[in-house]
Amino acid sequence: MNFELLNFELRKSERLHSHTLIDRLFEPGRGSKSLTAFPLRVVFRIIEQAEQTETNASILISVPKRQFKHAVDRNRVKRQVREAYRTNKELIRLPEGKALTIAFIWLDSQHHPTSIVTAKVKNLMQRITEQCATY
């Protein structure tokens, strides 16, 4: 594999920060789908490319305060998920003219090794790609 050609950056444009898109992602009955690979749950929605910026996928990572009381623990988990997504984002393949909004939600109240988090994120991303192929 030629690593020089792969883009391992995670730009601000790839982060989901639009309140409108976040509301649409979590609004019931709007076409959002959910998958779980413990300790992660992912909620995603396929949208038109025009609604989205120049990227074809935007992510949001949520670690509830109920799970980890200290910010340092929540930030560690978010960093693990962000790193796993950043290094494996090429797994997501979308139909032409479509974009994706994704929310990763942490479910467990304990830390997991980075290798396990990476494996779960890869699993979820492959399953998202399979579901997107039906569109």
Side-chain angles (χ1 to χ4, degrees):
M1 180 178 276
N2 190 355
F3 288 106
E4 295 173 13
L5 299 177
L6 295 177
N7 183 9
F8 286 120
E9 294 178 336
L10 186 64
R11 297 187 194 108
K12 184 173 181 174
S13 62
E14 294 178 80
R15 297 184 186 150
L16 186 57
H17 50 80
S18 166
H19 291 290
T20 306
L21 289 177
I22 293 170
D23 289 342
R24 286 186 195 164
L25 178 62
F26 289 107
E27 191 174 320
R30 290 283 266 180
S32 295
K33 296 182 181 181
S34 175
L35 300 170
T36 303
F38 193 80
L40 283 168
R41 177 174 166 241
V42 67
V43 178
F44 66 97
R45 181 169 180 254
I46 298 173
I47 59 175
E48 296 299 321
Q49 187 74 30
E51 294 180 52
Q52 188 72 351
T53 58
E54 68 275 358
T55 62
N56 59 353
S58 294
I59 66 164
L60 169 88
I61 301 170
S62 174
V63 181
K65 197 172 187 178
R66 175 188 286 172
Q67 305 299 345
F68 293 108
K69 300 295 183 203
H70 299 110
V72 67
D73 295 323
R74 292 191 300 274
N75 291 341
R76 176 183 173 205
V77 171
K78 287 191 274 188
R79 193 177 308 114
Q80 286 178 314
V81 175
R82 192 169 49 242
E83 182 70 8
Y85 173 80
R86 184 186 68 81
T87 56
N88 296 294
K89 65 183 175 182
E90 75 277 354
L91 294 175
I92 294 180
R93 303 278 182 228
L94 295 171
E96 191 65 34
K98 299 293 182 181
L100 197 61
T101 55
I102 306 170
F104 289 98
I105 303 166
W106 190 261
L107 301 174
D108 200 7
S109 60
Q110 296 183 3
H111 289 289
H112 291 271
T114 303
S115 59
I116 292 175
V117 174
T118 302
K120 299 298 181 169
V121 169
K122 285 172 73 172
N123 177 358
L124 288 168
M125 290 170 58
Q126 289 168 345
R127 289 167 55 194
I128 288 171
T129 301
E130 290 171 6
Q131 295 229 350
C132 290
T134 62
Y135 268 82

